[in-house]
Each structure stands twice: as structure tokens, then as C-alpha cells.
Amino acid sequence: MSSATTPPDSDPTGRRQVHSMLKLYYGMNEEGKVESLDPCDINGPHFDPEVYLNKLRKECSLGELMDHESCTVKQIRSLDSDMQTLVYENYNKFISATDTIRKMKNDFKKMEDEMDCLSANMAAITEFSAHISGTLQDQHAQITKLSGVHTLLRKLQFLFELPARLNKCLELQAYAQAVSAHRRARCVLQQYSHMPSFRGIQDDCHVIMEQLAQQLRQKFRDGGSSAKDLSECVELLLQLDEPAEELCDKFLSHAQSRLEADLQGLEAELIDSLFIDRGCNEFVSNLCLVIASYQELFINHPQEGELASKKIPEMANGKLHVFVDTLAARYFSLVERRIQEEKGVGDNSLLVRALDRFHRRLQAISKLLPGSAVPSQGTEIVVRAARERIKQYLSALQTFYHDSLTDVRQALAAPRLSVGGASASGELLTSLSNFILNQLKSVLASVHLFTAKDITFSNKPYFKGEFCSQGVREGLVVSFIKFICQSSRQYCESAGDRGGSTPPALLLLLSRLCLDYETSTISYILTLTDEQFLVQHHTPVTPVTALCAEAREAAQKLLNHYVKVQGLIISQMLRKSVETRDWVNTIEPRNVRAVMKRVVEDTTSIDVQVGLLYEEGVRKAHSSDSSKRTFSVYSSSRQQIRYAPSYTPSAPMDTSLLSNIHKLFSERIDIFSPVEFNKVSVLTGIIKISLKTFLECVRLRTFGRYGLQQIQVDCHYLQMYLWRFVSDENLVHFLLDEIVGSAAHRCLDPSPMEQSVIEVICERG
Amino acid sequence: MKMDDDAPVIYGLEFQARALTAQTAETDAIRFLVGTQSLKFDNQIHIIDFDDENNMINKSVLLHDAGEIWHISGSPADKAVLTTCYSKTSENRVLTCAAVWRMPPEWESGSHESPDDSSNNPQTLELLCHLDNTAHGSVACVLWEPLGDGKRVISLAENHVLLWDLQESSTKATISSTATLEGKGQLKFTAGKWSPHHNSTQLVTANDTAIRGWDLRSMSQIYCIENAHGQLVRDLDFNPNKQYYLASCGDDCKVKFWDVRHINEPVKCLEEHSHWVWSVRYNHSHDQLLLTGSSDSRVILSNMVSISSEPFGHLVDDDDLSDNEENQQEDKGKEPLQDSIIATYEEHEDSVYAVEWSAADPWLFASLSYDGRLVINRVPRALKYRILL
């Protein structure tokens, strides 16, 4: 307040002062402004005039005081004039405001009057409006009624026009339109059929619709119409209350006739290699189409109203299943016939691909017709085909095996080169074994196609389990190995007795083959199979050991039989030579008989033959000069001991004493006994058989003096050459001793030849 | 009975021997006849009596000075009469002849007690007649009419079948009919057997690998089993109880059983020997028991129940059985019986050429090996009781 009284120093500062004062008045503090506390600041709030004056007086000179005074005065004056101006301005404003308020007061009064008037008018209007609506009520009801009548009339008109319209539709073949029109009218006509006029219309409509239905049926029956047309027909007929069952039957019989045509076409081309293709493309796809459209029509079609209650889908579904089943059965029988035609085992991939296609296509049916047995039957067919295939492969393998054996037989029989022939049987064995193995491998590869990943049926449980274990492993591989053993054994049995039909070399070769199978090939093949087919043995399978045992048995049997046959061949020669000769009246021996040379030659060639396929084997140690062994029992001195008693009737028992003592201490010799898998054992067996035959034949004859000597020579010759082939040379010695001894017994004039002479004759050859 | 009842009894001959027969007409004593083979000495016929009670052998020797004996056969009617096939050497020619002989009546009384004396002073066989064969060649065997009156014999000579009638107490033999085998190949008969069935009107012979049946009324062949054995057929025998059944053996080490109505396949085949089988004999009473002898020095007794006339064992009435033990054995008997080898006898050390069942005791048999060893064996008692009870 004090500042207001103090003259403002200058304009701007004065203004600010006012401003700030107003602010103070209104309770607003100027922020940021630091109030000067200086009491000498003339514009500050703490200004103290006394201090200010004192200060001025102390500090300023007179001149300065004067100047200061004048300056201050000037400022005071300008402040005063400013104040005056402001007051005036405010005053004028108050005046004009008062005026305005007064004027407003008058205006409001007028407005109040007008509002009163308005409310009066509104009341009048309300009254009027109520009045009007009251009067219009009757007319409105009448209009509504009229419009109803109008609609009814329109409907009636539609009804009256219906026959004509239907006729027109019929002419234009717009069946769908006609049916929908009739459908709309049908209920009404039904309802009012007691009225003659409607009755007439209804009858007309009936006739027309009958006609229409007739046409539709005709069209339906007409074979040429497309599936889409057909389905339209069926739909319309259904809407015409045609019995759905009959329609189904008709539809199906219609479809059947077409599919039958397909099937007949297929049947005609049964031998064609593209059979499955055609079958898939034509029959199966057509069947799928039929199923799809049928389902569209009868099963999936939303049925409304009364139709729904008839349970058409169930009925239709049943019919469809029967239909599909019968046709599929026919198709399957064709396919099976076709598959049976497929006998050649050359390329399995074609068959597998065909089966795959066949199977794949049938999956489409399973998608369309979930409950159908058709796909599983199809799988059955594939399974059967696969089984059949395995059988075919087995028989093919067997044929191949037989053919290979025939080849081997021919190769063995063929005139052989002197050196080449010797190695031939070894080569034949390797090549035979390789042939068989390769063939088996290729068959396995072919069969493996059935389980390839990209084949749809390969993941069926049969192909994962049974096919691999029971089918391929047991049915094919094991059976084949068993077959080899079996047929080998047959060589021993059927051909065996006379030994003529099977060449001994073949027996030997087969024996080695079986032995090789036992040692390695079987386990190799089975491991290969198990690996290729990832066989999981759910069912018990033939163990490798059993097969090996069988192969070994076969090998043993073959080798025994070989020994027997070869032994018999030599036996026959010896037997003939003994039986046909007149031993009483023979001449003094000068040579070894040719048959003995032949025996040695044959034994040597057998030795070579066996040596190519079998190992040497062990023989008992023999004296260094076996070939030179002097026949102690034959030597004249010993001979005297042995035979001398023969001349003295007093002691006949001594005759066989030596040989009996010998027998007491030697082991019993089994002549036709099993041999071991080595050369020495085989040769021992053959020589045993031959010499025993020689012995028995000698015992049946009676000898003259030279007959005995001839036997001595022959035996010495055999001794010289045979010892080297056998495991125990004592065996040969023993048997030959027996022969000579028996000949001596059977001799009318037993005077043996000098050992030295025998040796000379034998060395002369 | 003694503990060693089943032990074999062995008798040694001084000479080699092939011919053995039971004394067919003798039904009381167990008696075998053995003919020796010796080119140097007088041949003998040893009469071997087996004393079952004491397990002892009594022997008598009769001289057979005609030659070495290849085959011997006793008359079914007269126990003193027998035939032999013997080889005779004359002018460097060996021929096998056949003759009918009578044993001197004194042999039994004279030699029984002191066998040593008999060997010193052997008696000689009395020749009844020769089956003169000079026209037909060597005789392989002589067959008596089974169960006959001892008046008819058949001799097989080379490829001829000769049917003889013995007249005037067997002192005269006349050929009543003959048949000759003609054709290719080895036609010499090796063995034969006169069938006891069909009123003794059938004969079976073996030549080479074939077995032939003959009708003696017409002297014609009625069947022929070609290749019956892989090699030579050595011996034949008829099943005494089943008229169409026949056993054969041969050089293929096999014994085969034939039903002569179906000759394509043998009914059964045994392959137990390891060398030629020379002799096969059915037991006269129990035809499941079969004896074979082989040049592997073995004798095998087989039980061929399945093809015998008693395939289900002996049928016994329950009344006959009194105690539990027997009941058990009855149960055993009713089990389905299997063909089996009963025993293999290895007492011989040389080839066994002949085996024979005793005519008197069906449980006893003899076998003869070339070295002159005769072995008498019994059917094992366990088996015997099993068959009987």
C-alpha cells in the first residue's frame, strides 16, 4: 500500500508495481522474484524513507540532492497522471455494464410472455392429434384385410396357373422348376382337396407330375445320362416322394450295368500286362465315382421333413455295401485270376507295382466307405499274391537248382581235357555254389520289393511280421535249403540201389556243397535274410543249427553213398573177374590180371577226384617201405607154417589158427560204415568194400594151383598200390591176407608161388 | 533156471562150413545139422544136439565123403532123411550135385555118450538117391515140400527149377516137372523157398537182383520183383503165418519185407548190417522174430511187430492172469509195439553164412560162420515173456 502512495519512478516500473500489487491482492506471489530487502530501494516493499533520506544526505552533494529531488518530483507527477487515467477508464466501464443489465431485465420479461403462449398452443395440438388418430383407426384395419386378400388371391392365381405352368416347364424340361413349384402347391392342394375346383387342379397337377416323374425315370433309366444328370434326376425323384429304396436299387443296378461292362472289358483282357492299370483306372475309379455320387444322393444328402424319418441313409448304406461287396468280389476274383496268370518270376517289380496300385486304389474306397470290407479283402489278395509269389520263387529256385545240377552233370559227363578236367570239379563246385547263392540273392531282392517303404501295403502287419519271418525266411530260404538237403538225400535213395543213374562225381560234389552249407553258407544266407528283412521272430523259426545239422546229415549221407557207389563199381569188376574165370584150369600166372590194374587206376582217379574237393585227412603212421613190404604171411617160409598143416590130417584145426589169432587182436571191420569228411577216409571206405567183395567171391570158388598163384600175384599187386590211399595200411594187409588165405583154403592143390617170383611179376606190371 | 541162461553156447568145427539146418522133423530134441567144406578131407555132417537143461552140446559126426557141402536140408517127414548139395571135382571140373541121404540108425545110440569116439570112427551117411543133374548144371539148393510127407523136393540148378518125386522110400528120384528161367542177364538161381501156404503150390526163387514167384502146378512164373535188391539176392523166407509176406536179403546189406500182392515197393526195409546179408529166417511160431546173418560177422535178431501176424501183441484172456506182476506185463503187452532190433550177436569172427531157428524150441537159434563156429543163442527172456504173456 505504501508503494501506491509513493510516486512511481518510471512508467514500466510503475506498471509492474501495480501489477504486483494486484497480484498481492489476489493472493498470488510472484515466483522467482527475489524481493529486495534493501530499505533504500525506492520501489522495494521494505523502503524506509528515513533511511533513504539519511543515506542521500550523507552520500550526495547538494547538487546531486537537487537533481535527485527534481527527478523524484518528475516521477511523482507522471505517476499521478497515470493513476487518474486508470480511474477514468474503470468508471466508464461500470457505467456501460449497468446499462446492459438494465436492458437485459427488460428482454426477459418479454420472453416469459412468449413461453406462456407456446405452451398453450402445444396443448391444443395434442388434443387435435388424438382426435385424428381416433377417426383413422377403422380405415387402417380395412386396409390390412384388403392386403391379406390380395396375397391370398395371388396364391390362388398361382394355383390356378400351376397346371399350365407345370406343363410349360415340362415342355422346357425345366424339371427342377416344376418340382419346386409343385412342392410349394402340394400341401395346399392336399388340404383343400375336398373342394371340387382345387380337386381339379390337384388332379391335373398329379397327372402332370406323374408325367414328369415318368420322364425323369425314363431319363434315369436312360443309360447315356451323365452322373451329374443322374444325381439331379434322383434328387428330383426323391422330392417327388418316389420310394428311396427303389431309387437306390435302380441307381445301383444302373451303375452295376456300367461297372459290369468294365469288368467284362477287364475279363477280356485278362492276359494283358496292363490289366491292373486298366482295372484301377476304369473299374475302381468308376466304382469310387458311383459310391461318391450315391453317397451324395442318398446318404449325405440332408433330408428334411418326412423324408428324414424314413431312415434312408441306413437303408441306402446297407444297399451300397452289398452292391460294392458283390462287385468287388467279382473284381477280386478277376484280379486273382490275373495274378495267378502271373507265373513268370522274371521281374517282380512289375507285379509289386501293380499290387501296390491295386492296393492304393482300394484305399480310396476305404476312405469313401469306412465300414467296407473291400480294402481288407484287397489286402488279403495282396497277401495271398505275396504268399503265392514266395511259393513261385521257391519252385523257381528249385527248378533253377535242378537245372544247375543238370548243367553240372553235363559238365561232369563232358569229355574232359586231361588237365582242365582235373580242376573242373572244384571249379564246378564254386560256380554251382555261386550260381545258387546269386540266384537266391536276386530272389531275395525281388521279394524285398514287397516290403519297400514306398509300397502302401508294406506297413501292413502281415508284411512287417509274418511275411518276413514265416514267408521269406521260413517259406523261401529255409525251405530252399531244406529242399537242397532233401533232394541230395533223394540222390542217395532213389537212384542209389544200382548206383548207375547218378554219376558218383555229382554225389561227391553235392556232398561237398552240403558240407560247405553246413560250415558257412547257411548261416550266411540266414544272416543276410534277417538283415534284409529285419526279421522279428514272433513265431518260432527254424534255428540255424537245425539246418546245419540237416545239411551235415545230407553231406554225410551223400559221401557214404558215394563211397558205396564207387565201392560197388570196383566190387562189380572184381566180382565179375572172380566169378567168370575157371580158376581150376587156369594157366600159370605170368602177369597181373588187367582187372587189378583197372582197380588201381580207378582208385587213383577216385583219389584225384576226392582230393579236389576234400582235404587229405590223417593216416596212421606207416613204415617207410610200405610199398616194399614183403608179405610175411605169404612168404614161403611163413606160408609153410600156415599151410603146412593142411597136408597133415592130424591137425586140421591149425589151418585157420593164425588168421583166427590175428582176428582176435584186430578190431572188427565194418565194411559199409560212415566215413569222415576227408580223402583218406573216403578212399579207405571204397577199398574196404572192394576187398571184402573180393574176399567173399573168392570163398565161393574153387581154385587150382595156378588159380591160387594168380590170386597171390593180384593181391601183391593191390598191396603195392593201395596202401597209400588208406588211413591204416594194416587194414589192406589184413584183407589181402584173408583173400589169399581163403583162396588157399579153396585150392585143390595149394602150392603157393615164391614171393620173389610174385614180386618180379608185379614189378613187371 | 540158471543165471547165465542167456549166454551163448559156442561149438567149434574143425573145418570151414556154410551149410546149416535144423532137423525139421525132430520136435523133441533141439538138433542142428552142419555140413562142412573141405577140399582136402572127407567132409562131415555134424549133428549138434543141444541140452537145454544143462546148457550143453552133444555132437555126432557122420561122414559125407561125396564132397564139400554147400547146402543141407532135412526132410520134414523123416528125421533121418536129409539132402545135401555138394561139389564134386572130376577131371578138373567142379560140379555141385545134390543127393538124398539117410542117417545110419546107430548114430544116435552109438555116439551120444562119447563124442570123442565118434570122431575117430565116424559113421557114413547112407546114400538114398542122387538128384541127377548132369543135364542141368550145378545145384544151388534143394527144398523139401514144407509140411509134406517127405516125397517131394525141388532142386534149383542153374536156371532150372526141378520138381522131384521121391519113390520107393526115397531111393528113387524122378523129375515130375521142370521150369526154366529164360531171358537176358544173370539167370542162375541163388536161393529159393517153397511156400508153406497155398497148399504148398508156390515157390519163390532169387536170381541176381530179382525175386520170382512160381506156381508149381503150372510151373509158370506168377510174379517177378525186378531189382528187389540193389545187388544180388542171397536168401528168402516166407512168413509162416502170413501167406503173402516174404523176407529177402542181399548184397546191398538190406533186409526187405514184401507183400507179394504189391510188389512195387517193399513193405519195410531194414539196413542194420554193414555187409552182405546171407541168410534171413522167420521164427516158425512168432513171426515178429527175425534172424539175419551177415558177412559183417554179426547175427541180428529183430522184432518186426508191425508187420507180423500179431501187430498188437499176444492177446491174453484176463482169466489167465492171477497176480499183479502178470497184470503189469499184460499192460506192457498192450502198448503199441515198435519194430526194433532185439539183439546183435557178435560171437562170430568170420562171415556168418547161415542162421536157423530150432525146430523144437521156438526160442532158440543157431548161427554158423565160415570159420566153423556154431553159436547157439536164445531169445532174451524178457522178450520171450513179453511175447508169451
Side-chain angles (χ1 to χ4, degrees):
Chain A
M1 283 301 139
S2 59
S3 62
T5 54
T6 51
D9 286 331
S10 57
D11 235 31
T13 51
R15 285 261 177 99
R16 206 185 296 136
Q17 245 176 342
V18 171
H19 198 80
S20 65
M21 275 190 300
L22 276 170
K23 271 187 178 168
L24 269 174
Y25 177 72
Y26 288 108
M28 295 163 71
N29 263 329
E30 263 193 84
E31 287 178 40
K33 265 215 174 151
V34 181
E35 300 272 341
S36 168
L37 294 172
D38 189 4
C40 297
D41 182 4
I42 201 156
N43 292 326
H46 302 286
F47 180 67
D48 191 348
E50 283 300 319
V51 175
Y52 185 69
L53 277 178
N54 286 338
K55 189 186 170 188
L56 282 177
R57 262 181 274 176
K58 275 180 201 165
E59 289 174 5
C60 301
S61 58
L62 190 59
E64 283 171 344
L65 282 172
M66 291 297 281
D67 290 345
H68 199 81
E69 193 217 350
S70 64
C71 175
T72 309
V73 169
K74 247 194 256 174
Q75 282 177 354
I76 289 170
R77 272 181 197 145
S78 80
L79 280 172
D80 279 346
S81 69
D82 284 351
M83 192 84 90
Q84 233 166 347
T85 317
L86 280 172
V87 169
Y88 277 127
E89 278 173 5
N90 282 338
Y91 183 73
N92 282 341
K93 279 176 188 166
F94 272 118
I95 296 296
S96 69
T98 312
D99 285 351
T100 312
I101 287 167
R102 196 179 296 139
K103 202 178 166 193
M104 272 171 69
K105 211 174 177 178
N106 290 339
D107 288 351
F108 271 113
K109 197 134 197 173
K110 203 175 151 192
M111 210 154 71
E112 201 172 313
D113 293 345
E114 280 173 4
M115 285 307 281
D116 284 345
C117 177
L118 184 67
S119 73
N121 284 345
M122 281 309 288
I125 286 165
T126 314
E127 200 177 327
F128 268 119
S129 139
H131 186 67
I132 288 166
S133 66
T135 44
L136 284 178
Q137 190 74 50
D138 291 346
Q139 282 177 349
H140 180 73
Q142 223 166 346
I143 285 166
T144 316
K145 199 175 165 188
L146 280 174
S147 89
V149 171
H150 178 74
T151 326
L152 190 62
L153 283 175
R154 284 238 322 255
K155 278 186 183 167
L156 277 176
Q157 191 185 1
F158 172 76
L159 278 183
F160 285 121
E161 282 173 1
L162 187 61
R165 188 195 289 243
L166 288 177
N167 269 330
K168 200 171 179 188
C169 285
L170 205 55
E171 267 170 45
L172 293 172
Q173 296 198 329
Y175 302 117
Q177 224 173 326
V179 171
S180 73
H182 179 251
R183 240 174 35 146
R184 272 194 283 162
R186 194 163 48 183
C187 300
V188 183
L189 286 172
Q190 193 66 40
Q191 200 178 343
Y192 295 100
S193 58
H194 56 279
M195 290 161 81
S197 53
F198 285 108
R199 184 59 175 250
I201 294 169
Q202 196 188 9
D203 292 348
D204 285 353
C205 286
H206 262 307
V207 172
I208 294 165
M209 289 318 286
E210 205 56 50
Q211 214 176 333
L212 186 131
Q214 207 61 43
Q215 280 194 18
L216 280 174
R217 278 190 214 116
Q218 184 60 43
K219 195 172 165 189
F220 184 66
R221 240 175 265 131
D222 189 12
S225 43
S226 70
K228 201 182 165 198
D229 282 351
L230 265 182
S231 65
E232 197 180 285
C233 278
V234 171
E235 201 174 336
L236 291 176
L237 282 169
L238 268 182
Q239 286 176 358
L240 284 176
D241 265 355
E242 198 75 11
E245 202 171 335
E246 208 173 292
L247 276 178
C248 291
D249 286 346
K250 275 187 189 162
F251 183 86
L252 291 180
S253 72
H254 181 66
Q256 187 158 14
S257 68
R258 278 185 302 165
L259 291 171
E260 295 271 351
D262 281 349
L263 282 176
Q264 271 160 15
L266 280 177
E267 202 167 357
E269 294 184 28
L270 206 56
I271 312 115
D272 198 340
S273 57
L274 296 172
F275 173 85
I276 291 286
D277 270 4
R278 275 184 60 109
C280 290
N281 289 343
E282 293 179 3
F283 175 78
V284 178
S285 48
N286 281 344
L287 186 64
C288 286
L289 268 182
V290 168
I291 293 171
S293 56
Y294 182 91
Q295 282 181 328
E296 186 63 30
L297 286 178
F298 297 105
I299 298 170
N300 299 335
H301 195 65
Q303 307 286 348
E304 61 280 285
E306 54 193 323
L307 285 175
S309 65
K310 289 183 185 168
K311 301 206 168 178
I312 288 177
E314 284 83 349
M315 182 274 298
N317 213 8
K319 281 189 182 301
L320 182 63
H321 274 283
V322 172
F323 167 78
V324 171
D325 286 352
T326 44
L327 277 173
R330 286 202 46 194
Y331 175 58
F332 288 156
S333 76
L334 278 179
V335 169
E336 287 210 85
R337 270 171 62 190
R338 177 70 188 94
I339 291 171
Q340 277 164 15
E341 295 283 317
E342 200 64 39
K343 292 232 191 310
V345 284
D347 190 4
N348 197 37
S349 64
L350 264 180
L351 178 80
V352 173
R353 274 214 302 277
L355 284 175
D356 179 38
R357 256 188 104 133
F358 168 73
H359 190 260
R360 206 186 292 269
R361 280 303 184 122
L362 287 179
Q363 297 316 302
I365 294 186
S366 82
K367 267 177 213 138
L368 279 171
L369 208 58
S372 171
V374 171
S376 63
Q377 282 169 2
T379 312
E380 278 291 300
I381 287 184
V382 173
V383 167
R384 273 204 294 277
R387 283 208 181 104
E388 197 53 44
R389 203 68 180 158
I390 287 176
K391 277 190 205 143
Q392 283 171 4
Y393 271 117
L394 180 61
S395 72
L397 273 177
Q398 290 171 352
T399 327
F400 177 83
Y401 177 70
H402 271 309
D403 292 348
S404 320
L405 283 195
T406 315
D407 290 349
V408 169
R409 212 185 256 245
Q410 275 165 3
L412 285 172
R416 51 181 74 174
L417 303 167
S418 56
V419 187
S423 60
S425 73
E427 280 167 20
L428 275 174
L429 175 71
T430 358
S431 72
L432 174 68
S433 158
N434 284 341
F435 272 146
I436 293 171
L437 205 57
N438 286 338
Q439 189 72 9
L440 191 61
K441 277 182 186 166
S442 78
V443 162
L444 279 181
S446 295
V447 173
H448 196 247
L449 289 173
F450 276 108
T451 60
K453 285 224 164 46
D454 57 334
I455 301 296
T456 46
F457 51 74
S458 65
N459 58 1
K460 293 276 171 197
Y462 170 75
F463 283 97
K464 278 193 163 167
E466 205 196 334
F467 177 77
C468 294
S469 67
Q470 288 304 310
V472 176
R473 191 185 191 274
E474 295 293 300
L476 194 63
V477 180
V478 172
S479 294
F480 180 59
I481 294 168
K482 279 187 175 168
F483 166 78
I484 291 180
C485 299
Q486 185 77 33
S487 74
S488 303
R489 283 203 298 272
Q490 274 169 6
Y491 278 112
C492 303
E493 282 152 17
S494 62
D497 284 343
R498 282 245 147 199
S501 53
T502 312
L506 183 65
L507 291 175
L508 189 66
L509 197 131
L510 283 178
S511 156
R512 184 71 220 193
L513 183 74
C514 286
L515 192 66
D516 286 347
Y517 265 68
E518 192 255 339
T519 48
S520 59
T521 318
I522 286 177
S523 64
Y524 170 71
I525 293 174
L526 283 185
T527 315
L528 188 79
T529 314
D530 286 358
E531 276 170 5
Q532 258 191 32
F533 288 87
L534 302 167
V535 177
Q536 291 155 347
H537 304 306
H538 301 299
T539 43
V541 292
T542 319
V544 178
T545 48
L547 278 178
C548 286
E550 198 168 328
R552 191 177 179 87
E553 193 197 328
Q556 181 74 58
K557 214 164 174 183
L558 280 163
L559 198 62
N560 289 349
H561 191 64
Y562 173 78
V563 168
K564 205 166 165 180
V565 168
Q566 292 286 33
L568 286 182
I569 291 171
I570 295 177
S571 289
Q572 293 293 358
M573 287 194 300
L574 287 168
R575 180 209 284 263
K576 285 268 147 54
S577 78
V578 176
E579 281 179 357
T580 50
R581 199 176 174 103
D582 181 358
W583 291 98
V584 179
N585 300 312
T586 186
I587 53 156
E588 188 172 4
R590 305 212 172 274
N591 288 307
V592 176
R593 283 188 300 148
V595 68
M596 294 302 154
K597 293 182 179 164
R598 181 81 196 283
V599 166
V600 171
E601 275 168 26
D602 281 11
T603 312
T604 313
S605 73
I606 290 169
D607 184 62
V608 171
Q609 195 176 46
V610 179
L612 288 173
L613 294 171
Y614 279 99
E615 294 74 29
E616 179 73 25
V618 273
R619 61 175 89 221
K620 285 187 190 163
H622 43 73
S623 53
S624 55
D625 58 345
S626 287
S627 62
K628 297 271 181 191
R629 169 185 178 262
T630 50
F631 287 76
S632 56
V633 262
Y634 306 148
S635 64
S636 50
S637 56
R638 294 288 296 277
Q639 204 103 48
Q640 284 311 313
I641 298 168
R642 206 175 166 203
Y643 296 129
S646 307
Y647 304 101
T648 53
S650 57
M653 275 298 280
D654 284 358
T655 322
S656 52
L657 187 65
L658 260 178
S659 94
N660 280 345
I661 289 170
H662 186 100
K663 277 179 214 163
L664 273 178
F665 291 102
S666 64
E667 285 173 29
R668 187 183 287 275
I669 302 165
D670 277 343
I671 304 303
F672 291 100
S673 54
V675 292
E676 289 160 29
F677 292 107
N678 61 57
K679 192 179 83 175
V680 167
S681 178
V682 168
L683 264 293
T684 306
I686 293 170
I687 288 171
K688 255 189 334 194
I689 291 171
S690 311
L691 293 184
K692 178 77 176 176
T693 305
F694 196 12
L695 172 65
E696 292 295 340
C697 291
V698 162
R699 284 179 173 186
L700 288 171
R701 301 295 312 223
T702 306
F703 295 85
R705 176 185 187 170
Y706 297 129
L708 169 64
Q709 293 183 351
Q710 182 68 63
I711 294 290
Q712 280 184 288
V713 169
D714 290 348
C715 286
H716 186 81
Y717 181 80
L718 289 179
Q719 170 61 37
M720 277 167 63
Y721 291 98
L722 291 186
W723 66 268
R724 69 189 84 215
F725 299 121
V726 298
S727 61
D728 182 5
E729 57 179 303
N730 288 326
L731 189 87
V732 176
H733 300 163
F734 172 71
L735 282 167
L736 289 173
D737 284 358
E738 280 286 311
I739 293 168
V740 177
S742 289
H745 271 294
R746 306 279 327 133
C747 184
L748 296 167
D749 177 19
S751 47
M753 190 179 251
E754 281 293 324
Q755 183 66 29
S756 55
V757 183
I758 296 173
E759 280 169 17
V760 169
I761 294 175
C762 288
E763 269 153 34
R764 210 167 52 202
Chain B
M1 283 206 174
K2 281 173 284 182
M3 284 300 289
D4 59 345
D5 185 45
D6 280 346
V9 180
I10 298 174
Y11 171 74
L13 281 81
E14 296 86 344
F15 300 108
Q16 290 174 334
R18 282 175 180 270
L20 169 72
T21 186
Q23 196 176 22
T24 321
E26 175 61 79
T27 51
D28 295 331
I30 299 163
R31 186 172 298 153
F32 294 98
L33 307 178
V34 181
T36 62
Q37 281 200 319
S38 172
L39 291 165
K40 293 280 121 8
F41 310 103
D42 282 341
N43 282 285
Q44 304 163 336
I45 287 179
H46 288 234
I47 303 163
I48 314 291
D49 264 87
F50 180 65
D51 182 353
D52 199 27
E53 303 269 309
N54 302 313
N55 223 26
M56 273 173 59
I57 279 175
N58 296 314
K59 71 156 184 175
S60 307
V61 177
L62 295 174
L63 274 184
H64 179 279
D65 48 15
E68 54 173 7
I69 302 166
W70 290 88
H71 186 263
I72 186 168
S73 181
S75 162
D78 185 345
K79 52 184 177 182
V81 176
L82 59 105
T83 59
T84 58
C85 300
Y86 57 92
S87 60
K88 196 171 69 180
T89 315
S90 55
E91 297 153 8
N92 283 338
R93 191 159 162 266
V94 180
L95 183 69
T96 309
C97 304
V100 187
W101 309 85
R102 179 184 291 280
M103 295 190 258
E106 315 84 56
W107 71 267
E108 210 161 0
S109 55
S111 60
H112 214 80
E113 304 302 318
S114 53
D116 292 336
D117 297 339
S118 71
S119 62
N120 291 334
N121 298 306
Q123 291 173 311
T124 310
L125 280 171
E126 176 192 336
L127 175 69
L128 290 176
C129 64
H130 286 287
L131 300 176
D132 183 28
N133 64 315
T134 39
H136 299 105
S138 287
V139 179
C141 59
V142 174
L143 312 166
W144 289 89
E145 179 182 22
L147 320 167
D149 53 4
K151 297 232 167 103
R152 298 213 296 166
V153 291
I154 288 172
S155 68
L156 301 175
E158 298 288 341
N159 58 335
H160 304 285
V161 179
L162 309 173
L163 180 58
W164 304 80
D165 276 340
L166 302 180
Q167 292 154 342
E168 296 165 26
S169 306
S170 304
T171 51
K172 191 181 168 197
T174 52
I175 293 176
S176 67
S177 55
T178 62
T180 304
L181 183 61
E182 277 162 353
K184 287 183 195 166
Q186 175 64 267
L187 295 172
K188 193 175 147 191
F189 289 120
T190 55
K193 206 81 187 180
W194 195 328
S195 166
H197 308 293
H198 312 289
N199 270 331
S200 303
T201 54
Q202 288 190 9
L203 171 76
V204 64
T205 62
N207 67 297
D208 199 17
T209 61
I211 296 173
R212 290 163 203 276
W214 302 83
D215 188 327
L216 295 172
R217 292 165 299 189
S218 60
M219 287 312 259
S220 58
Q221 184 178 310
I222 44 178
Y223 57 83
C224 173
I225 310 172
E226 298 277 3
N227 290 325
H229 282 267
Q231 296 170 69
L232 207 67
V233 181
R234 291 278 170 193
D235 197 15
L236 299 157
D237 199 19
F238 279 99
N239 186 319
N241 300 325
K242 292 178 88 180
Q243 56 181 343
Y244 296 111
Y245 277 69
L246 170 70
S248 67
C249 59
D251 286 2
D252 56 0
C253 314
K254 289 175 186 164
V255 178
K256 290 186 179 179
F257 298 87
W258 304 90
D259 180 338
V260 297
R261 294 164 297 182
H262 308 286
I263 58 172
N264 294 329
E265 281 292 315
V267 179
K268 209 152 188 105
C269 182
L270 284 181
E271 197 172 358
E272 301 294 339
H273 285 291
S274 69
H275 202 245
W276 307 350
V277 187
W278 287 75
S279 183
V280 60
R281 288 289 179 269
Y282 274 109
N283 186 295
H284 305 306
S285 314
H286 306 283
D287 55 274
Q288 61 266 50
L289 299 178
L290 188 96
L291 210 52
T292 51
S294 156
S295 40
D296 65 1
S297 312
R298 290 190 179 95
V299 173
I300 292 183
L301 176 62
S302 315
N303 188 9
M304 304 304 291
V305 173
S306 71
I307 52 173
S308 74
S309 58
E310 295 177 347
F312 303 107
H314 190 61
L315 297 173
V316 189
D317 289 336
D318 287 344
D319 304 340
D320 295 348
L321 303 165
S322 51
D323 56 31
N324 288 335
E325 197 184 355
E326 277 170 327
N327 270 325
Q328 277 178 345
Q329 276 170 340
E330 180 214 13
D331 290 341
K332 259 187 186 174
K334 284 189 179 167
E335 283 167 22
L337 298 166
Q338 299 282 319
D339 293 345
S340 59
I341 301 297
I342 299 161
T344 302
Y345 300 96
E346 309 210 342
E347 283 83 21
H348 292 288
E349 276 154 12
D350 206 336
S351 302
V352 179
Y353 294 131
V355 289
E356 280 293 347
W357 290 96
S358 161
D361 183 348
W363 307 108
L364 202 123
F365 58 88
S367 55
L368 178 67
S369 57
Y370 190 61
D371 54 4
R373 180 179 292 187
L374 180 81
V375 178
I376 295 176
N377 264 302
R378 290 185 187 83
V379 174
R381 252 194 294 173
L383 179 78
K384 175 174 163 181
Y385 292 143
R386 218 173 115 184
I387 291 171
L388 283 178
L389 299 174

